[in-house]
Amino acid sequence: MEKPGLIVAPLTPFTADLGVDEPALRRQIDYVVTDCGATMVVAAGVETQEYTYLGLEQRKALIRATIEAVDGRVPVMVGISHPSFKTAVALAHEAERLGAAAVQLLAPLRPFAGAPTQSDLLAYFVAVARETGLPITLYLNPGPGADVSIADTIALAKLPRVQLIKESSRDLARVSRLIVEIDRAGHARYFTTMQMLLATLELGGSGATMPPPGSEIARHVIDAFVAKDYERAASLQLQFALFPSKWMHRGLAPVMKAAMNLIGVPAGDPYPPYAPLSRDETAALAAYLRTTVLAHRFPATAAA
Amino acid sequence: MEKPGLIVAPLTPFTADLGVDEPALRRQIDYVVTDCGATMVVAAGVETQEYTYLGLEQRKALIRATIEAVDGRVPVMVGISHPSFKTAVALAHEAERLGAAAVQLLAPLRPFAGAPTQSDLLAYFVAVARETGLPITLYLNPGPGADVSIADTIALAKLPRVQLIKESSRDLARVSRLIVEIDRAGHARYFTTMQMLLATLELGGSGATMPPPGSEIARHVIDAFVAKDYERAASLQLQFALFPSKWMHRGLAPVMKAAMNLIGVPAGDPYPPYAPLSRDETAALAAYLRTTVLAHRFPATAAA
Amino acid sequence: MEKPGLIVAPLTPFTADLGVDEPALRRQIDYVVTDCGATMVVAAGVETQEYTYLGLEQRKALIRATIEAVDGRVPVMVGISHPSFKTAVALAHEAERLGAAAVQLLAPLRPFAGAPTQSDLLAYFVAVARETGLPITLYLNPGPGADVSIADTIALAKLPRVQLIKESSRDLARVSRLIVEIDRAGHARYFTTMQMLLATLELGGSGATMPPPGSEIARHVIDAFVAKDYERAASLQLQFALFPSKWMHRGLAPVMKAAMNLIGVPAGDPYPPYAPLSRDETAALAAYLRTTVLAHRFPATAAA
Amino acid sequence: MEKPGLIVAPLTPFTADLGVDEPALRRQIDYVVTDCGATMVVAAGVETQEYTYLGLEQRKALIRATIEAVDGRVPVMVGISHPSFKTAVALAHEAERLGAAAVQLLAPLRPFAGAPTQSDLLAYFVAVARETGLPITLYLNPGPGADVSIADTIALAKLPRVQLIKESSRDLARVSRLIVEIDRAGHARYFTTMQMLLATLELGGSGATMPPPGSEIARHVIDAFVAKDYERAASLQLQFALFPSKWMHRGLAPVMKAAMNLIGVPAGDPYPPYAPLSRDETAALAAYLRTTVLAHRFPATAAA
């Protein structure tokens, strides 16, 4: 078994005029690489990174800033998702140029109603795969992207260039089956989410991708799992039962940004119009995080 | 009662290298304005126009080309939908500069999971409305956009700048209620779709928006309705029972492009990877369209 | 064209100990037959009739009481829906014995997860059809029953014994297509709901089924339509835009029972634990109904 | 920590004329109690037991036959789910009379459209709880029952009489949170499904409920977990990745009945119109089960 993967997607801090706050990003990436032990960093790959607000040039700048900040310490995977395969290809070329290790590509919605067929999905991934030598991560996230069936996911995973899968589903029946039929079958490495991390590892999946600071909790889950201290792994996994779930009506980006601000690695506010957590929500979040492995990041004297 | 509105969204013809085929677009807009009697033309506003594949500059070029081709014959409404309110504002400013009559703005998904709240939606529309003097069309299209409840739709419709609504739902219970609570209540004019046209007019809604050549059928529905020839209106509305429904598993853009190609106003193929209709599907579509008011556009001697 | 059908499903009034209040039922059926001009009455056929609370013997008693109260004035259709085709057959035999004109059978959910396939659905309807000489109404109501696709609905409609369809969907795109492919194609008569009534008639559907007192409004819609007074038909149809929609968070049975109580044809309260409308909700409903064709049933001097 | 619970719901074998095959049921219950180590047996409680086809007297007979066959070896939980709280109460009284240890009650759909509110759900459970001294299992199964939110589930779990929860969801984010907020918070013991078993135990949930022969696999998962042999537990849990998932398009009852027939504990065919697995499907299922801990039940000489 390869060592479990912890793929981390830094949050995007914005300046007052809604540009990317590069110093804050660098500070965060140091945290992600050093404190969270990320095995790979994602640049502008998942929606929680709020990259969809950015124009193409701003998006490339965010990718570049991410790669520069990581500075070769770990591999970087570049998000190239776009409704147009041509733009995805252009972003893949930019990723190659910048020395990325892989690209991540969302299984897209059909823009004009109805679900994409398996042949639509294959055609789209083949069109991109044809133009890049980088490994492709198939990114599954119904909502922003298509709701891809088990059969269609397996078909996509069998494309030679598709070497990783980022699965957003929390459906353990689906995930169990796909770990067996994709990861253990040798088609692609299968990564899930915070809430699924320990179950994924136990079933033979490859790890998870997530934003910080969930990634610091995850690091401990993985360390315990690798050390075969399964009871500690389970007890750490349990920290994801309430976090971020209890605050998710606000959305994942606002909750994670609030958590980062609390632990002293500022990530700023969500891109408008989405509001940051209220004072009461923030206080409740702080009280909860103090019961987790993140507690050590809080000042010793502050009240919960 | 104002005359019913027929808002038409031209399909985007692409060249071999996937640029916009401007001559074909101009030809189509002549058809839309002259033959369909559009009361307003939409530039890059709905997903069926395949604008989501375009970069921002290409998108502006499509908007410009549309406005130039319409050439003042009817008002133009410019699509400004973007996850970032700032980009939407920039597009609104471009629309103003080009002399557009209105802008159309999709109620956006929350990019990072969960449904937007009413206050999220209001904040987004207010942020745009503050920056433009143009009337805003609230565009509702769950999937690419958010699934907005009846209560939230009414709240948005009460914003002074929101003067039109483009509703994609075919749920007549929802639409009936919103026509009464929004259009007849004086908050905004309410436009629906092909399949809903006659029902919308009868209940006091303002019309429908759609791509060609559905718009040519719609023109006749509206003419019959205005002439109080309700039996003819119903018999024409019935032409939308099978078209485009029977081919919708292929998606609306491919079906409408196939129909345009059949009636001699070429719109090209769908943007890849989506496939055009097969030969058999095209033949079946042609046979059907020959039973509609579009029959006169087919060469007299061709076999069905 | 046959005269449009108005199939009415009386609400079930309960006594204090939750038996069927037969005198109140008889009073209501007189209203349904005489005042609403029902062309057919449904006995224990739709969930709004709250028959699912009843044991089999109570359900048969309700069927019998309904048929006796109708007393041959119009045909009666008996609900025979049950997960077991054998119980459905037993109810069909009871319906025959009691002189029913037809039976109504819900397309059932698969009890143990997953959607029924077309062959599951066909097998179920064939199993019942084989055992009864009565015409069968295919009843489509996703939730209590299966969500049947367009293709599967057409396949079921082609069974010779399936002669009517009761469609609960408010999706006018679906309904338009099925009216053409089923009713106008001669496979079965297609009936919809209050909100869909006028659109259904105009497209060539056969009518609608609903509970009272919606049926009294519907009677006027149908009369106007038959008289070719389409403007009046539309203006009456509009009365269904807010009623029952504005109160539907309480459920259809509570709203309709409240309306019946208001117009002086008592239908009692919903079966527990569902609550009747609150005093404020009832007052708002009364105020609305006084603006409809039901106004004449309110005492002249009462305040709205 | 209490020993994990394995609540087993025997499949219902039917005779040729669709009565309950009591000898086959007894044989199966011996398997469930002796070989699977069930800590509790469910009588007519979940839809996979196909009890919804039965009339009330047949249902009571099935309950009685189950309790007699268990014969006091383990406690029995009796399904009392019914749209009417009065029938649920009557079944609870029967359960008491027969010496049941608990009753299981589905959170019901609102029969007449729309989701039940929290107060609807509380009123229903309170109405039943008032009339029985037995512990109540809150049974959550969207589809046949309501889709109950996290907040509403917690509210129901706080009712004193609600002492267990049977959760059908495979959403590990939901389940993680509810284990913490319900089971670890002391409100009720939380049981999930086959696919969720190990994850549930690790997070501090109480076990799972399922039909045989999944229960024999589950027994080994639980034994390994209790012995703190977590690697073996995970490797056994993995046997649920493909079984029953790969055959679930046929539904859970047909798959499980086929599996039982294969391992020599006949459970007959599904109740019509649902078809048993085809010969090919059965062969594939047999080949798979021979790779699991169920292999020892297959005759040594038979080919896979």
Side-chain angles (χ1 to χ4, degrees):
Chain A
M1 188 189 74
E2 277 189 80
K3 179 159 189 312
L6 176 56
I7 305 178
V8 183
L11 302 161
T12 304
F14 294 104
T15 58
D17 65 348
L18 299 177
V20 174
D21 179 346
E22 297 201 7
L25 180 65
R26 279 196 296 277
R27 166 77 188 86
Q28 185 187 164
I29 286 175
D30 287 343
Y31 167 74
V32 160
V33 171
T34 306
D35 298 283
C36 300
T39 60
M40 187 178 265
V41 167
V42 182
V46 296
E47 291 70 25
T48 300
Q49 294 182 290
E50 299 175 286
Y51 78 84
T52 59
Y53 304 119
L54 305 178
L56 193 62
E57 290 313 313
Q58 290 174 297
R59 185 171 162 185
K60 284 182 185 169
L62 172 59
I63 292 167
R64 214 158 38 233
T66 302
I67 289 177
E68 285 169 13
V70 171
D71 195 22
R73 289 176 285 178
V74 294
V76 174
M77 175 157 65
V78 168
I80 62 168
S81 305
H82 195 277
S84 166
F85 76 95
K86 281 180 66 120
T87 304
V89 166
L91 285 164
H93 290 163
E94 179 76 1
E96 287 170 22
R97 211 180 57 74
L98 294 168
V103 292
Q104 174 168 323
L105 186 55
L106 180 66
L109 286 176
R110 200 156 75 169
F112 39 71
T117 63
Q118 186 175 301
S119 84
D120 292 337
L121 291 167
L122 286 169
Y124 176 85
F125 275 83
V126 165
V128 175
R130 204 161 38 209
E131 302 289 335
T132 183
L134 290 177
I136 296 176
T137 295
L138 164 62
Y139 174 31
L140 301 169
N141 192 18
D147 192 357
V148 183
S149 71
I150 286 178
D152 291 352
T153 302
I154 294 171
L156 288 165
K158 289 181 173 168
L159 292 175
R161 190 72 75 212
V162 172
Q163 294 176 19
L164 296 92
I165 293 183
K166 155 62 179 151
E167 169 69 80
S168 300
S169 171
R170 274 80 173 171
D171 177 346
L172 188 53
R174 172 186 169 96
V175 165
S176 300
R177 180 161 170 201
L178 290 178
I179 286 174
V180 170
E181 299 212 41
I182 289 174
D183 200 327
R184 298 176 74 108
H187 300 306
R189 296 186 70 204
Y190 198 83
F191 294 81
T192 61
T193 60
M194 288 176 275
Q195 295 92 341
M196 308 293 276
L197 175 57
L198 180 57
T200 298
L201 298 178
E202 289 177 324
L203 296 172
S206 288
T209 89
M210 69 195 66
S215 48
E216 187 176 347
I217 301 175
R219 173 192 206 158
H220 292 283
V221 173
I222 290 173
D223 287 348
F225 178 79
V226 169
K228 297 180 187 286
D229 186 349
Y230 301 107
E231 294 184 12
R232 177 162 165 75
S235 125
L236 287 157
Q237 177 64 45
L238 201 57
Q239 300 187 358
F240 287 127
L242 299 186
F243 170 70
S245 165
K246 280 193 90 157
W247 294 268
M248 276 294 278
H249 55 285
R250 303 301 300 269
L252 187 55
V255 180
M256 288 295 169
K257 287 189 153 181
M260 290 298 279
N261 294 337
L262 282 167
I263 68 165
V265 188
D269 282 341
Y271 195 100
Y274 300 101
L277 267 59
S278 71
R279 178 187 297 260
D280 283 355
E281 289 168 330
T282 304
L285 177 60
Y288 180 74
L289 293 179
R290 283 166 180 280
T291 70
T292 71
V293 291
L294 300 175
H296 73 103
R297 300 205 170 269
F298 285 78
T301 55
Chain B
M1 190 189 71
E2 277 189 78
K3 180 162 188 311
L6 177 56
I7 305 178
V8 183
L11 303 161
T12 304
F14 294 104
T15 59
D17 65 349
L18 299 177
V20 173
D21 179 346
E22 295 200 6
L25 180 65
R26 279 196 297 277
R27 166 78 187 85
Q28 187 187 160
I29 286 174
D30 287 343
Y31 167 74
V32 159
V33 172
T34 307
D35 297 283
C36 300
T39 59
M40 187 179 266
V41 167
V42 182
V46 296
E47 292 70 26
T48 299
Q49 294 181 290
E50 299 174 286
Y51 78 84
T52 61
Y53 304 119
L54 304 178
L56 193 62
E57 289 314 311
Q58 290 174 298
R59 185 170 162 186
K60 285 183 185 167
L62 173 59
I63 291 167
R64 215 158 37 233
T66 302
I67 289 176
E68 284 169 14
V70 170
D71 195 23
R73 289 176 284 178
V74 295
V76 175
M77 175 158 64
V78 168
I80 63 168
S81 304
H82 195 277
S84 166
F85 76 94
K86 281 180 65 120
T87 305
V89 165
L91 285 164
H93 290 163
E94 179 76 2
E96 287 170 22
R97 210 182 54 75
L98 295 168
V103 293
Q104 174 168 323
L105 186 56
L106 181 65
L109 286 176
R110 201 156 74 169
F112 40 72
T117 61
Q118 185 175 301
S119 83
D120 292 336
L121 291 166
L122 286 170
Y124 176 85
F125 275 83
V126 165
V128 175
R130 205 161 36 209
E131 302 288 334
T132 181
L134 291 177
I136 296 177
T137 295
L138 163 62
Y139 174 32
L140 301 169
N141 192 18
D147 191 357
V148 183
S149 71
I150 286 178
D152 291 352
T153 302
I154 294 170
L156 289 165
K158 288 180 174 169
L159 292 175
R161 190 73 74 211
V162 172
Q163 295 177 17
L164 298 90
I165 293 183
K166 154 64 179 150
E167 169 69 80
S168 300
S169 170
R170 274 81 174 172
D171 176 346
L172 188 52
R174 172 185 169 95
V175 166
S176 300
R177 181 161 168 200
L178 289 178
I179 287 174
V180 170
E181 298 210 40
I182 289 174
D183 201 328
R184 297 175 75 110
H187 300 306
R189 297 186 68 204
Y190 199 82
F191 293 82
T192 61
T193 61
M194 286 175 278
Q195 294 92 343
M196 307 295 275
L197 175 57
L198 180 57
T200 298
L201 298 178
E202 289 177 324
L203 295 172
S206 288
T209 89
M210 71 193 67
S215 48
E216 187 176 346
I217 302 175
R219 174 192 205 156
H220 292 283
V221 174
I222 290 171
D223 286 349
F225 178 79
V226 169
K228 299 179 186 284
D229 185 350
Y230 301 107
E231 294 185 11
R232 178 163 165 74
S235 127
L236 287 158
Q237 177 64 46
L238 201 57
Q239 299 188 357
F240 287 127
L242 300 186
F243 170 70
S245 165
K246 280 194 90 158
W247 293 269
M248 276 294 278
H249 55 286
R250 303 302 300 271
L252 187 55
V255 179
M256 287 296 170
K257 286 188 155 182
M260 290 298 279
N261 295 337
L262 282 167
I263 67 164
V265 188
D269 281 342
Y271 194 98
Y274 300 100
L277 267 59
S278 71
R279 179 188 297 259
D280 283 358
E281 289 168 331
T282 305
L285 177 62
Y288 180 73
L289 293 179
R290 283 168 181 280
T291 70
T292 71
V293 289
L294 300 174
H296 73 104
R297 301 207 169 269
F298 285 79
T301 56
Chain C
M1 189 189 71
E2 277 188 79
K3 180 159 189 311
L6 176 56
I7 305 180
V8 183
L11 303 160
T12 304
F14 293 103
T15 58
D17 65 349
L18 299 177
V20 174
D21 179 346
E22 297 201 6
L25 179 65
R26 278 195 297 277
R27 167 78 188 84
Q28 185 187 162
I29 286 175
D30 287 343
Y31 167 74
V32 160
V33 172
T34 306
D35 298 282
C36 301
T39 60
M40 187 179 265
V41 168
V42 182
V46 295
E47 290 70 25
T48 300
Q49 295 182 289
E50 299 176 285
Y51 78 84
T52 60
Y53 304 119
L54 305 178
L56 193 62
E57 289 313 311
Q58 289 173 299
R59 185 170 162 187
K60 284 183 185 168
L62 172 59
I63 292 167
R64 212 159 39 233
T66 303
I67 290 178
E68 284 169 13
V70 172
D71 195 22
R73 288 176 286 178
V74 294
V76 174
M77 175 156 65
V78 169
I80 63 168
S81 304
H82 195 275
S84 166
F85 76 94
K86 281 179 65 121
T87 305
V89 165
L91 285 163
H93 290 162
E94 178 76 1
E96 288 170 21
R97 208 180 57 74
L98 294 169
V103 292
Q104 175 169 324
L105 185 57
L106 181 66
L109 287 175
R110 200 155 75 169
F112 39 72
T117 62
Q118 186 175 302
S119 84
D120 291 337
L121 291 167
L122 285 170
Y124 176 84
F125 275 83
V126 165
V128 175
R130 206 162 35 211
E131 302 289 335
T132 180
L134 290 177
I136 296 176
T137 295
L138 164 62
Y139 174 33
L140 301 168
N141 192 19
D147 191 357
V148 183
S149 71
I150 286 179
D152 291 353
T153 303
I154 294 171
L156 288 165
K158 288 181 174 168
L159 292 175
R161 189 74 74 212
V162 172
Q163 294 178 17
L164 298 91
I165 293 184
K166 154 62 180 152
E167 169 70 80
S168 299
S169 171
R170 273 80 173 172
D171 176 347
L172 189 53
R174 172 186 169 95
V175 165
S176 300
R177 181 161 168 200
L178 289 177
I179 286 174
V180 169
E181 299 211 42
I182 290 174
D183 199 327
R184 297 176 75 109
H187 299 307
R189 298 186 70 203
Y190 198 83
F191 293 82
T192 60
T193 60
M194 287 175 276
Q195 293 94 341
M196 308 294 275
L197 175 58
L198 180 57
T200 297
L201 297 178
E202 289 177 324
L203 296 171
S206 288
T209 88
M210 70 195 65
S215 48
E216 187 175 348
I217 301 175
R219 173 192 207 159
H220 291 283
V221 174
I222 290 172
D223 287 348
F225 178 79
V226 169
K228 299 178 187 286
D229 186 349
Y230 301 107
E231 295 184 12
R232 177 163 166 74
S235 127
L236 288 157
Q237 177 64 45
L238 201 57
Q239 300 188 356
F240 287 126
L242 300 186
F243 170 71
S245 166
K246 280 193 90 157
W247 294 268
M248 276 294 278
H249 55 286
R250 303 302 301 269
L252 187 54
V255 180
M256 287 296 169
K257 285 188 154 181
M260 290 297 278
N261 295 336
L262 282 167
I263 67 164
V265 187
D269 282 340
Y271 194 99
Y274 300 101
L277 269 59
S278 70
R279 178 187 297 257
D280 282 357
E281 289 168 331
T282 304
L285 177 61
Y288 180 72
L289 293 179
R290 283 169 180 279
T291 70
T292 72
V293 289
L294 300 176
H296 73 103
R297 301 207 169 268
F298 285 78
T301 56
Chain D
M1 188 188 73
E2 278 189 78
K3 179 158 188 315
L6 176 56
I7 305 179
V8 184
L11 303 161
T12 305
F14 293 105
T15 59
D17 65 347
L18 299 177
V20 174
D21 179 346
E22 296 200 5
L25 179 65
R26 279 195 297 275
R27 166 79 188 84
Q28 187 188 164
I29 286 174
D30 287 343
Y31 167 74
V32 159
V33 172
T34 305
D35 298 283
C36 300
T39 60
M40 189 179 263
V41 167
V42 182
V46 295
E47 292 69 26
T48 299
Q49 295 182 289
E50 299 175 286
Y51 79 83
T52 59
Y53 304 119
L54 304 178
L56 193 62
E57 289 312 312
Q58 290 174 297
R59 186 171 162 186
K60 285 183 185 169
L62 172 60
I63 292 167
R64 214 158 38 232
T66 301
I67 290 177
E68 284 169 13
V70 171
D71 195 22
R73 289 176 286 179
V74 294
V76 175
M77 175 157 65
V78 168
I80 62 167
S81 305
H82 195 277
S84 166
F85 76 95
K86 281 180 66 120
T87 304
V89 165
L91 285 164
H93 289 162
E94 178 77 0
E96 287 170 22
R97 209 181 56 74
L98 294 168
V103 293
Q104 174 168 321
L105 185 56
L106 180 67
L109 287 175
R110 202 155 74 168
F112 39 74
T117 62
Q118 185 175 301
S119 82
D120 291 337
L121 290 166
L122 285 170
Y124 176 84
F125 275 82
V126 165
V128 175
R130 205 162 34 210
E131 301 289 334
T132 180
L134 290 176
I136 295 177
T137 295
L138 164 62
Y139 174 32
L140 301 168
N141 192 19
D147 192 356
V148 183
S149 71
I150 285 178
D152 291 352
T153 303
I154 294 171
L156 288 165
K158 288 181 174 169
L159 292 175
R161 189 74 73 212
V162 172
Q163 296 178 16
L164 298 91
I165 293 183
K166 154 64 178 152
E167 169 69 80
S168 300
S169 171
R170 274 81 173 171
D171 176 347
L172 188 52
R174 171 186 170 94
V175 165
S176 300
R177 180 163 170 199
L178 290 178
I179 286 174
V180 170
E181 298 212 41
I182 289 174
D183 200 328
R184 296 176 75 109
H187 299 307
R189 298 186 68 204
Y190 197 82
F191 293 81
T192 61
T193 61
M194 287 175 277
Q195 294 94 341
M196 308 294 276
L197 175 58
L198 181 56
T200 298
L201 297 178
E202 290 178 324
L203 296 172
S206 288
T209 88
M210 69 194 67
S215 49
E216 188 176 346
I217 302 175
R219 173 192 205 158
H220 292 282
V221 174
I222 290 172
D223 286 350
F225 178 80
V226 169
K228 299 179 186 285
D229 186 349
Y230 301 107
E231 294 184 14
R232 178 162 165 73
S235 129
L236 287 158
Q237 178 65 45
L238 201 57
Q239 300 187 357
F240 287 126
L242 299 186
F243 170 70
S245 165
K246 280 193 89 157
W247 294 269
M248 276 294 279
H249 54 286
R250 304 301 301 270
L252 187 55
V255 179
M256 287 296 168
K257 286 189 154 181
M260 290 297 279
N261 294 336
L262 282 167
I263 67 164
V265 188
D269 282 341
Y271 195 99
Y274 301 101
L277 267 59
S278 71
R279 180 188 296 259
D280 283 357
E281 289 168 331
T282 304
L285 177 61
Y288 180 73
L289 293 179
R290 282 167 180 281
T291 70
T292 71
V293 290
L294 300 176
H296 73 103
R297 301 206 170 270
F298 284 79
T301 56

